[in-house]
Amino acid sequence: MATPSKTPPGADPKQLERTGTVREIGSQAVWSLSSCKPGFGVDQLRDDNLETYWQSDGSQPHLVNIQFRRRTTVKMLCIYADYKSDESYTPSKISVRVGNNFHNLQEIRCFNVLRVPCCK
């Protein structure tokens, strides 16, 4: 999603899209996964249904590759993870890398994800 840099942390991306604050640009990209179990691939990752999801099926690292056809500025990346629903597949670390192709990616951000439920 593209957005101004003053988006508040924890803001609802769907609400921001409805108000015109951000624009979803994922459909302009080619998505691929390092692995997935049958029925748990890119379509489920991108379908806006919180009941469906990507489930990897291979050795780590598990990767989601998003390739735009031309140079694209991305100002916000939203990731939904639900530890309570499936703790074994909740990532502990997320690395964001950019580059001109898969072979020259450089990490620009790395996040440690809290793996504890926030609500009961």
Side-chain angles (χ1 to χ4, degrees):
M1 294 189 155
T3 184
S5 60
K6 298 295 182 186
T7 303
D12 177 3
K14 290 295 179 187
Q15 179 62 29
L16 294 173
E17 189 176 4
R18 282 190 292 274
T19 61
T21 305
V22 300
R23 182 170 51 98
E24 205 283 330
I25 60 173
S27 61
Q28 299 173 19
V30 175
W31 291 66
S32 62
L33 306 168
S34 55
S35 68
C36 68
K37 291 188 177 182
F40 294 91
V42 171
D43 291 340
Q44 292 73 35
L45 176 69
R46 301 250 320 125
D47 68 6
D48 284 337
N49 180 349
L50 297 181
E51 300 298 317
T52 62
Y53 46 89
W54 163 48
Q55 194 171 50
S56 59
D57 187 26
S59 59
Q60 293 186 13
H62 304 302
L63 304 173
V64 176
N65 298 301
I66 307 167
Q67 295 175 293
F68 291 93
R69 299 184 202 297
R70 57 182 135 131
R71 185 175 288 217
T72 303
T73 300
V74 176
K75 293 187 178 181
M76 185 168 82
L77 177 66
C78 297
I79 299 171
Y80 177 81
D82 189 345
Y83 178 85
K84 188 175 178 182
S85 291
D86 193 351
E87 63 187 70
S88 66
Y89 284 95
T90 301
S92 59
K93 180 174 109 174
I94 296 173
S95 172
V96 179
R97 301 172 188 170
V98 300
N100 293 320
N101 60 59
F102 188 77
H103 301 288
N104 75 347
L105 296 176
Q106 295 182 9
E107 185 174 86
I108 58 166
R109 296 280 190 275
C110 185
F111 303 94
N112 288 316
V113 179
L114 295 175
R115 295 187 71 165
V116 295
C118 62
C119 304
K120 289 190 178 191

